[in-house]
């Protein structure tokens, strides 16, 4: 720990000497909240934040009336496909889409259990 403190003090002395030689007065950085949010991808979330609470652009698979008439194998394939899409969205860090796919998967599993159990 002492080594780290000594190194910090050495760097600080070097910086102060440089500032005096070059007539530099350190000043606080002043930015507006909007400027900071514009620089960070997490805080602003770009287009994802704008579309977060809008209605779905495409209907859910589970809400599709055709799904009610699927046989066991077709419904299982739809659940596998939905799970893959969910995992793909999560891997791409698109958590809104991943959550949508998760909810859709739950709806498909519920329908499957109602029909075949």
């Amino acid at each position: 720990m002492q080594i780290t403190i000594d190194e910090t003090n050495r760097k600080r002395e070097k910086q102060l000497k440089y500032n005096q030689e070059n007539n530099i007065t350190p000043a606080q950085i002043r930015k507006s909240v909007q400027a900071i949010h514009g620089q960070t991808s997490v805080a602003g979330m770009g287009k994802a934040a704008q579309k977060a609470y809008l209605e779905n652009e495409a209907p859910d698979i589970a809400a599709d009336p055709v799904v009610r008439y699927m046989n066991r194998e077709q419904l299982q394939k739809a659940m596998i496909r939905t799970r893959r899409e969910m995992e793909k969205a999560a891997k791409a860090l698109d958590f809104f889409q991943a959550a949508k796919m998760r909810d859709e998967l739950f709806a498909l599993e519920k329908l499957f259990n109602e029909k075949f159990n």
Side-chain angles (χ1 to χ4, degrees), residues 8-80:
T8 302
N9 288 334
R10 184 191 71 78
K11 287 181 179 182
R12 184 174 291 128
E13 288 173 13
K14 186 175 179 180
Q15 184 68 50
L16 290 172
K17 182 180 175 188
Y18 177 83
N19 289 351
Q20 285 177 348
E21 289 172 359
N22 295 293
N23 212 14
I24 297 173
T25 304
Q28 176 181 347
I29 297 174
R30 296 168 197 235
K31 290 186 180 183
S32 67
V33 173
Q34 292 80 13
I36 294 169
H37 283 290
Q39 292 176 344
T40 59
S41 62
V42 176
M45 293 292 287
K47 293 181 182 178
Q50 295 170 1
K51 298 173 76 177
Y53 298 104
L54 296 179
E55 290 294 321
N56 295 335
E57 294 173 3
D60 295 337
I61 293 173
D64 189 357
V66 175
V67 172
R68 301 231 178 258
Y69 300 105
M70 286 183 171
N71 63 27
R72 184 181 199 96
E73 293 79 26
Q74 291 170 328
L75 203 50
Q76 286 175 330
K77 284 182 182 179
M79 288 189 305
I80 291 169

Side-chain angles (χ1 to χ4, degrees), residues 59-117:
D60 295 337
I61 293 173
D64 189 357
V66 175
V67 172
R68 301 231 178 258
Y69 300 105
M70 286 183 171
N71 63 27
R72 184 181 199 96
E73 293 79 26
Q74 291 170 328
L75 203 50
Q76 286 175 330
K77 284 182 182 179
M79 288 189 305
I80 291 169
R81 186 173 39 250
T82 303
R83 181 176 300 279
R84 284 184 187 150
E85 288 178 24
M86 177 186 71
E87 290 169 353
K88 181 180 174 186
K91 207 176 251 190
L93 303 179
D94 186 359
F95 299 118
F96 291 112
Q97 182 67 19
K100 178 184 171 218
M101 291 292 111
R102 179 204 58 211
D103 295 343
E104 200 166 305
L105 180 61
F106 287 158
L108 286 171
E109 288 173 347
K110 181 180 176 186
L111 179 65
F112 182 84
N113 290 332
E114 289 172 358
K115 283 181 76 169
F116 301 109
N117 287 337

